[in-house]
Amino acid sequence: MDTANFPWLTTTILFPIAASLLIPLIPDKDGKTVRWYALIVGLIDFALLVYAFCTQYDFSNPDLQLVESYTWVQQLDLNWSVGADGLSMPLILLTGFITTLATLAAWPVTFKPKLFYFLMLTMYGGQIAVFAVQDMLLFFLVWELELVPIYLILSIWGGKKRLYAATKFILYTAGGSLFILVGALTMAFYGDTVTFDMRAIAAKEFAPNVELLLYTGFLIAYGVKLPIFPLHTWLPDAHGEATAPAHMLLAGILLKMGGYALLRMNAGMLPDAHATFAPLLVILGVVNIVYAALTSFAQRNLKRKIAYSSISHMGFVLIGIASFTDLGTSGAMLQMVSHGLIGASLFFMVGCTYDRTHTLMLDEMGGVGKKMRKVFAMWTACSMASLALPGMSGFVAELMVFVGFATSDAYNPVFKVCVVFLAAVGVILTPIYLLSMLREIFYGPENKELAEHEELVDAEPREVFIIAALLVPIIGIGLYPKMLTQVYDATTTQLTAKLRDSVPSLVLAKAATDKTVSLRAPAIEPSKL
């Protein structure tokens, strides 16, 4: 088989979707057969992704790889076009990894298991497609595709207020998607040629006012998914009612769609507008970090506490995207992958704890560490990763964003000092509320009523395996970040250079430096002396 020309991305997108269509035909009553079927499909798809990455992906190439294009509507230049570069490949691998583990986390699901695993496999293909497609209209379609499964998972398998949370989720995200559709059509029909191809659109020169309007619309759409304050309110409600698998998909993958799209479209396609909006992104990032950290500190509901923690950590992505430095942009990418792993682990632990205590209120817990030692150990490890303990991925990612922004020459020194100081406040708050949370759950006197009415059994092997699988890359990246950064460095460096060319002050400074260098006397080679 000619592996170089094999349609790897198309296969990994369509395979889980096609496999999901066979689920109604599987003879199964209690869900035990269908869950194994879904897990095997997920493992096969992830194995295909890893194989394609290891054999076909070139770290040194900043451009699209694994490119496939098939004509769809020739008159509109509308194609099934997919490809992967440094911005998308890490997130595609993250999607396969987290979704497969989420399928394993859904093992206890017994209510309508066929429908549940059908939605999980559909989500699998749709999420990979979001990061892989290179056609604007196709991007909109697959962006919408993943809304329906997560809405149904929330509304059918969620908590007591699941319909409210699911409706709020669909209203926010579908409303934001309208801006994607309008923006895609505007960019496609702008100018002399009609095209939905992202690379062709990126080469177009838009009028300044048009570019600013497009950037504003995309910022709203992707700001909802990231989420950015004040478009974030759907997330705590969704997490508050979701089950563990839905938690893992929301925190591990869906939030990263917003950050990816900001890099791919706002920064990559609209660099001049990005130079104008960058200070606003930095301010919004700081607000996310500080506001969400303070709000998380005050939460008494365990799910909502971790949800606001996620919002806080995603603020670093905004600052990194707007840093105009290689280090800052690289840190934003690393933070997205790192938070995907850490967020999925924390919310899985929330689900494990709720399955045993049947409460989410911290006031009703206490002393459960005496009977759940493995759960306590796993909670502690995941919390250490979230508070950016050195040696774990969160520390490296946030440090790169800090240093990248602090060393940026695109901003006023006073502005940089204020941003770094306020972001540092958020970083300091994180260990306070996380360690306080651990103390309230596991330490102190045992809640007699809880201990008498609930079976506080320790972690089972399946749960230990899921957390161990998540901690391995978290610690591996923390100790050796190059294992991830080398995947996207070529692409982010190219993107940063493009963005710096859109900042007038940086262009003038570069021109002055080049002029000074050219006026110097040419160096005399030693061989000519």
Side-chain angles (χ1 to χ4, degrees):
M1 183 178 69
D2 184 5
T3 58
N5 296 319
F6 186 79
W8 293 106
L9 291 177
T10 298
T11 301
T12 53
I13 291 169
L14 298 182
F15 174 63
I17 297 175
S20 70
L21 299 177
L22 299 178
I23 286 181
L25 305 178
I26 298 175
D28 188 17
K29 294 181 179 180
D30 53 9
K32 291 183 179 180
T33 303
V34 74
R35 69 188 184 187
W36 276 107
Y37 173 79
L39 180 61
I40 292 171
V41 170
L43 287 170
I44 292 173
D45 208 58
F46 182 57
L48 289 173
L49 286 172
V50 172
Y51 180 82
F53 170 71
C54 293
T55 61
Q56 307 298 320
Y57 187 81
D58 180 8
F59 295 162
S60 62
N61 185 358
D63 300 319
L64 282 177
Q65 304 176 55
L66 301 171
V67 177
E68 305 160 30
S69 185
Y70 308 99
T71 301
W72 186 6
V73 182
Q74 188 173 3
Q75 291 81 353
L76 293 176
D77 191 30
L78 187 58
N79 303 302
W80 171 267
S81 180
V82 293
D85 60 6
L87 298 182
S88 53
M89 181 53 80
L91 298 175
I92 290 173
L93 292 172
L94 178 71
T95 297
F97 184 60
I98 296 295
T99 309
T100 302
L101 289 179
T103 305
L104 183 58
W107 224 241
V109 172
T110 55
F111 180 66
K112 297 184 178 180
K114 287 188 176 182
L115 177 60
F116 182 87
Y117 288 106
F118 168 82
L119 296 173
M120 288 289 288
L121 291 180
T122 304
M123 281 277 290
Y124 201 142
Q127 289 167 336
I128 294 175
V130 168
F131 299 121
V133 296
Q134 300 300 319
D135 183 281
M136 282 295 292
L137 189 58
L138 186 59
F139 177 84
F140 168 75
L141 294 176
V142 295
W143 184 278
E144 291 295 286
L145 173 64
E146 54 84 21
L147 297 183
V148 178
I150 199 67
Y151 168 78
L152 292 175
I153 289 174
L154 279 173
S155 59
I156 297 175
W157 289 273
K160 295 180 180 179
K161 297 181 179 179
R162 58 185 180 275
L163 293 179
Y164 168 78
T167 303
K168 191 172 184 179
F169 163 78
I170 201 71
L171 288 176
Y172 268 70
T173 51
S177 298
L178 292 177
F179 292 96
I180 303 177
L181 178 60
V182 173
L185 293 174
T186 302
M187 297 173 85
F189 286 92
Y190 188 89
D192 298 329
T193 59
V194 177
T195 179
F196 288 97
D197 183 79
M198 290 185 181
R199 287 175 289 182
I201 289 175
K204 289 186 177 183
E205 293 187 7
F206 299 96
N209 291 338
V210 174
E211 192 163 328
L212 289 173
L213 287 174
L214 288 169
Y215 195 101
T216 302
F218 286 146
L219 181 60
I220 294 171
Y222 306 139
V224 169
K225 192 61 69 75
L226 188 68
I228 299 174
F229 176 91
L231 305 173
H232 68 286
T233 57
W234 66 270
L235 184 65
D237 290 321
H239 273 306
E241 303 303 321
T243 56
H247 283 312
M248 296 175 73
L249 295 176
L250 281 169
I253 303 169
L254 265 70
L255 303 190
K256 312 307 170 287
M257 292 179 180
Y260 164 77
L262 283 175
L263 278 170
R264 172 72 69 193
M265 296 177 194
N266 288 55
M269 295 184 182
L270 306 167
D272 293 334
H274 182 73
T276 303
F277 274 88
L280 176 61
L281 291 185
V282 174
I283 293 171
L284 290 173
V286 171
V287 171
N288 260 41
I289 293 169
V290 178
Y291 158 77
L294 288 171
T295 308
S296 181
F297 192 89
Q299 295 299 310
R300 305 305 301 159
N301 182 293
L302 188 56
K303 286 186 177 181
R304 295 180 71 89
K305 181 180 282 289
I306 303 301
Y308 277 106
S309 175
S310 287
I311 297 171
S312 178
H313 287 297
M314 290 302 289
F316 286 98
V317 175
L318 288 174
I319 296 176
I321 292 173
S323 66
F324 295 102
T325 63
D326 294 340
L327 189 61
T329 308
S330 179
M333 277 297 302
L334 186 60
Q335 177 70 349
M336 282 196 283
V337 176
S338 171
H339 180 265
L341 297 167
I342 296 171
S345 67
L346 283 173
F347 278 113
F348 177 71
M349 291 311 305
V350 171
C352 290
T353 305
Y354 178 75
D355 289 342
R356 290 159 171 78
T357 63
H358 294 93
T359 181
L360 294 170
M361 305 308 297
L362 292 171
D363 299 331
E364 298 174 5
M365 299 183 190
V368 300
K370 298 176 182 178
K371 294 183 179 179
M372 300 192 301
R373 298 179 185 274
K374 293 178 184 177
V375 172
F376 169 56
M378 294 190 297
W379 254 117
T380 302
C382 297
S383 298
M384 294 300 107
S386 183
L387 60 81
L389 184 75
M392 294 189 172
S393 59
F395 172 78
V396 182
E398 294 180 10
L399 181 63
M400 289 174 68
V401 172
F402 266 115
V403 177
F405 180 77
T407 57
S408 175
D409 52 356
Y411 297 99
N412 183 286
V414 176
F415 180 71
K416 290 194 293 185
V417 169
C418 293
V419 168
V420 170
F421 173 77
L422 291 173
V425 171
V427 172
I428 293 171
L429 289 172
T430 303
I432 296 175
Y433 66 71
L434 285 176
L435 294 177
S436 298
M437 175 192 71
L438 290 178
R439 175 181 55 81
E440 291 186 89
I441 298 174
F442 297 103
Y443 288 97
E446 187 177 70
N447 186 328
K448 298 295 183 182
E449 184 177 352
L450 179 66
E452 291 174 1
H453 291 85
E454 304 295 346
E455 188 179 359
L456 301 179
V457 296
D458 211 346
E460 59 184 59
R462 175 183 60 88
E463 296 166 331
V464 174
F465 173 80
I466 291 173
I467 292 300
L470 289 166
L471 286 175
V472 166
I474 289 172
I475 296 173
I477 294 170
L479 296 177
Y480 188 62
K482 188 178 179 180
M483 66 183 294
L484 178 61
T485 58
Q486 64 181 347
V487 177
Y488 59 75
D489 269 345
T491 304
T492 54
T493 300
Q494 184 184 70
L495 175 62
T496 303
K498 180 180 180 180
L499 294 177
R500 290 177 66 84
D501 289 340
S502 299
V503 182
S505 61
L506 297 180
V507 174
L508 290 173
K510 181 181 178 182
T513 302
D514 292 343
K515 184 178 180 180
T516 302
V517 172
S518 66
L519 291 175
R520 291 175 181 171
I524 301 176
E525 297 180 14
S527 60
K528 295 183 179 181
L529 292 177

